[in-house]
DNA sequence: GGGATCGGACAATCAAACTC
DNA sequence: AGTTTGATTGTCCGATCCCG
């Protein structure tokens, strides 16, 4: 929060409708636990994205805008030639998906196709999620592309189970949502981990 | 204090699966 | 053919690190 000109609508890259302080966005360590069906109270406005960030913003993982040069490149005095759209790679085709789970009107699961617990060779192990930014990301993306291209990639419905099969990460008993709430909204219907009042 | 870095949440896209 | 669903890919928030 120190870099004020990087944040907030009044002079930085931030989107105007973002909450100034989101207790749940702050890394993976704090997550609120809600009952499985989120109510309308838990909905917040969507974060808008540009269709194609420029290479500079992409590399910095910062907000871009459709104009070229974008505001951030102008701010950091990149030349217009340096503010160019990043290249999107083509989505891979032919991935098998397996049968669908059925949902009710509110989006909750009403059927889970029996006990589908897939274990597929080549699935990235828990804890090996891709580094999304910077050179490490490019290296990871390259290696993953090779894995998928060779047909050893993940085509199952669910991620691998932990080795001891003690947890099924995609079978939620609770709805975990990074939703900021005003004090007045926290009165009922929500649970916080460890008795936290947040 | 301000910029850089980076983990991970969030959003958009689109093809496979499904329904009629 | 049209709709639904989930995998994939991309954006960027926000915490932390680093440097002057």
């Amino acid at each position: 929060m120190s870099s004020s000109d990087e944040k907030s609508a009044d002079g930085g890259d931030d989107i105007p409708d973002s909450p100034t302080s989101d207790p749940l966005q702050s890394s993976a360590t704090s997550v609120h636990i809600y009952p499985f069906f989120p109510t309308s109270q838990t909905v917040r406005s969507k974060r808008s994205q540009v269709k194609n960030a420029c290479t500079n913003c992409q590399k910095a993982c910062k907000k871009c805008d459709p104009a070229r040069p974008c505001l951030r490149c102008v701010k950091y005095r990149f030349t217009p030639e340096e503010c160019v759209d990043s290249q999107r790679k083509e989505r891979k085709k032919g991935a098998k998906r397996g049968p669908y789970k059925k949902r009710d009107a509110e989006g909750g699961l009403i059927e889970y196709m029996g006990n589908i617990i897939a274990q597929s060779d080549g699935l990235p192990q828990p804890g090996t999620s891709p580094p999304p930014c910077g050179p490490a990301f490019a290296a990871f993306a390259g290696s993953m592309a090779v894995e998928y291209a060779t047909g050893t990639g993940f085509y199952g419905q669910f991620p691998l189970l932990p080795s001891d099969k003690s947890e099924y990460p995609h079978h939620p008993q609770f709805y975990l949502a990074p939703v900021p709430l005003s004090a007045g909204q926290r009165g009922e219907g929500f649970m916080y981990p460890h008795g936290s009042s947040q």
Side-chain angles (χ1 to χ4, degrees), chain A residues 52-95:
Chain A
N52 221 314
C54 74
T55 53
N56 295 313
C57 293
Q58 183 187 49
K59 192 157 52 178
C61 294
K62 294 297 178 186
K63 184 167 176 59
C64 195
D65 65 79
R68 294 290 178 269
C70 68
L71 286 176
R72 189 171 177 277
C73 284
V74 169
K75 191 170 104 180
Y76 290 99
R77 304 188 181 188
F78 287 108
T79 66
E81 290 75 27
E82 291 173 306
C83 182
V84 296
D85 285 351
S86 58
Q87 282 288 10
R88 283 181 172 255
K89 61 180 175 183
E90 195 168 344
R91 178 185 293 246
K92 75 183 181 76
K93 295 182 180 179

Side-chain angles (χ1 to χ4, degrees), chain A residues 135-158:
Chain A
F137 173 64
F140 178 88
S143 65
M144 289 302 291
V146 168
E147 184 170 74
Y148 280 122
T150 57
T152 60
F154 169 52
Y155 297 127
Q157 285 285 94
F158 309 108

Side-chain angles (χ1 to χ4, degrees), chain A residues 103-144:
Chain A
R103 295 174 184 274
D104 64 14
E106 293 180 338
L109 296 177
I110 58 174
E111 181 182 332
Y112 222 74
M113 302 306 292
N115 295 316
I116 297 175
I117 303 298
Q119 185 154 354
S120 304
D121 293 337
L123 180 71
Q125 293 293 323
T128 60
S129 56
C133 303
F137 173 64
F140 178 88
S143 65
M144 289 302 291

